[in-house]
Amino acid sequence: MRAVMYDGKRVEVVDDLEVRDPGPGEVLVAISAAGLCHSDLSVVDGTIPFPVPVVLGHEGAGVVEAVGVGVTHVEPGDHVALSTLANCGVCPECDRGRPTMCRQAIGRPGRPFRRGAREVFQFASNSAFAERTVVKAVQAVRIPKDIPLPSAALIGCGVLTGVGAVLNRARVDRGDRVVVIGAGGIGLNVIQGARIAGALRIVAVDANPAKEAVARQFGATDFLTSVEGVRELLPTGADHAFECVGRVELIRAAVDLLDRHGQAVLLGVPAATAEASFLVSSMYLDKSILGCRYGSSRPQRDIALYAELYRAGRLLLDELVTQTYPVEDFEKARADAEEGRVARGVLTF
């Protein structure tokens, strides 16, 4: 079968990958569409260290082909959106409703694929850049069949991360003032999450002025090409500032833009060794810096919720899919993403 694989030196589309059958508590999914996220590119450029060879992709949707013993919530023929969260469901963190903190779901890459005699790693417990993948049952969330799969694919990372950061982690409230630094795939979902939450002012900041129209479409009330102008719009600062780029100088800017009791939420991914600084004295007015993993999501609940918000016309998905590419055109999709020409490119099988 076809897949996008990275061997540590180059990325290539291969056609001779094999995937094993699902075991107990697992699901085999035929991938229909998969979003190309910067986290996939970060594996290739070394920002996210990961063992190789690896099948990339982690934002996908498709159709269930087979289920392992004990799986009852989905069956062959169901449409599903996939999460990357292979949590155990029984540890204290899972029991407290914090599956993103499950230690069984972090740093344990499996190898369900083979290419010839060699085992191949699975990225983010998902590997959606393959015609078929095996995931834990908890990662497969059934969705209505009337949702286009290229749109549904984006729920599993961009929407869960961006909207989830607003609703679950920051808990943005009605009337709040929000700054979103970076209007890419994650930033647009932060913007629409803030709109759904009832924020009064949503200031989008992106160096690319061409992103203004789509940022406003998703809910931005203001658009700037630099953080320097934010104080003119919000003289006392923001209640919430989301950094969605992954640059330490922008992390500092997010902190500096806060009003009293404000929160800076870090969503961008800088290099693993990157360090950021801030003025300690600026934090004593009850300000906070919040890390956020995967939107602090509970995927079985949140994916189903976002699917219904989409069907009700309150969550934008189709508008996120800037362009679709056959999997064979991965290099074009990659170039468009790296150059910022698309909000989200989607690979199709």
Side-chain angles (χ1 to χ4, degrees):
M1 68 178 187
R2 293 170 297 166
V4 179
M5 198 176 83
Y6 175 57
D7 64 4
K9 295 181 180 179
R10 66 190 184 101
V11 181
E12 63 177 327
V13 179
V14 302
D15 60 6
D16 57 351
L17 196 74
E18 298 177 356
V19 64
R20 63 171 173 77
D21 294 332
E26 294 180 333
V27 177
L28 175 67
V29 178
I31 298 295
S32 175
L36 176 55
C37 175
H38 277 282
S39 293
D40 300 305
L41 302 180
S42 293
V43 174
V44 178
D45 67 22
T47 302
I48 297 178
F50 206 87
V52 293
V54 58
V55 176
L56 298 173
H58 65 286
E59 188 179 65
V63 180
V64 174
E65 281 204 348
V67 299
V69 174
V71 177
T72 59
H73 74 291
V74 293
E75 61 185 24
D78 282 345
H79 287 200
V80 292
L82 302 182
S83 86
T84 67
L85 202 59
N87 60 297
C88 70
V90 297
C91 71
E93 296 294 350
C94 287
D95 192 52
R96 293 173 66 182
R98 301 195 304 202
T100 57
M101 296 295 104
C102 174
R103 286 175 169 79
Q104 298 298 315
I106 302 174
R108 296 171 181 265
R111 285 182 281 190
F113 304 105
R114 297 188 73 88
R115 190 180 185 207
R118 190 174 187 184
E119 291 184 328
V120 179
F121 285 99
Q122 184 175 43
F123 178 54
S125 302
N126 191 306
S127 287
F129 291 171
E131 288 188 86
R132 291 173 182 79
T133 191
V134 170
V135 297
K136 290 183 66 173
V138 71
Q139 296 176 254
V141 183
R142 186 168 53 197
I143 57 174
K145 292 184 178 180
D146 59 359
I147 299 179
L149 288 172
S151 298
L154 305 186
I155 300 178
C157 177
V159 176
L160 279 179
T161 300
V163 178
V166 173
L167 302 182
N168 301 328
R169 186 66 168 129
R171 298 185 182 275
V172 171
D173 201 359
R174 293 161 295 178
D176 283 354
R177 299 154 300 164
V178 175
V179 174
V180 183
I181 303 173
I186 299 299
L188 290 174
N189 280 297
V190 173
I191 290 168
Q192 73 169 332
R195 169 178 53 78
I196 291 168
L200 182 64
R201 202 81 181 263
I202 305 171
V203 182
V205 182
D206 197 287
N208 183 356
K211 292 186 178 180
E212 179 173 2
V214 69
R216 290 188 181 275
Q217 181 182 20
F218 275 71
T221 59
D222 303 271
F223 183 89
L224 298 169
T225 56
S226 169
V227 294
E228 302 302 325
V230 172
R231 284 287 181 178
E232 294 181 17
L233 298 175
L234 305 176
T236 63
D239 299 302
H240 312 274
F242 294 84
E243 201 283 337
C244 306
V245 180
R247 288 168 46 186
V248 293
E249 66 272 23
L250 295 178
I251 291 172
R252 171 61 183 269
V255 175
D256 289 344
L257 290 172
L258 297 177
D259 195 0
R260 299 181 180 192
H261 208 273
Q263 300 179 134
V265 184
L266 310 186
L267 295 176
V269 182
T273 57
E275 297 183 0
S277 64
F278 59 90
L279 291 175
V280 175
S281 60
S282 71
M283 303 300 293
Y284 289 119
L285 292 174
D286 285 3
K287 298 180 184 181
S288 304
I289 301 173
L290 304 179
C292 183
R293 180 171 190 254
Y294 205 36
S296 301
S297 299
R298 286 180 275 175
Q300 285 289 336
R301 178 201 67 169
D302 290 350
I303 289 177
L305 169 63
Y306 300 152
E308 290 305 319
L309 286 172
Y310 165 81
R311 297 175 85 201
R314 297 178 60 192
L315 183 96
L316 304 182
L317 289 179
D318 302 339
E319 295 80 359
L320 283 167
V321 184
T322 313
Q323 186 170 338
T324 59
Y325 307 82
V327 67
E328 291 80 8
D329 289 345
F330 173 79
E331 283 302 326
K332 182 177 184 340
R334 174 184 174 184
D336 286 349
E338 290 177 333
E339 295 298 323
R341 291 190 288 266
V342 294
R344 216 35 151 220
V346 175
L347 299 180
T348 58
F349 288 89

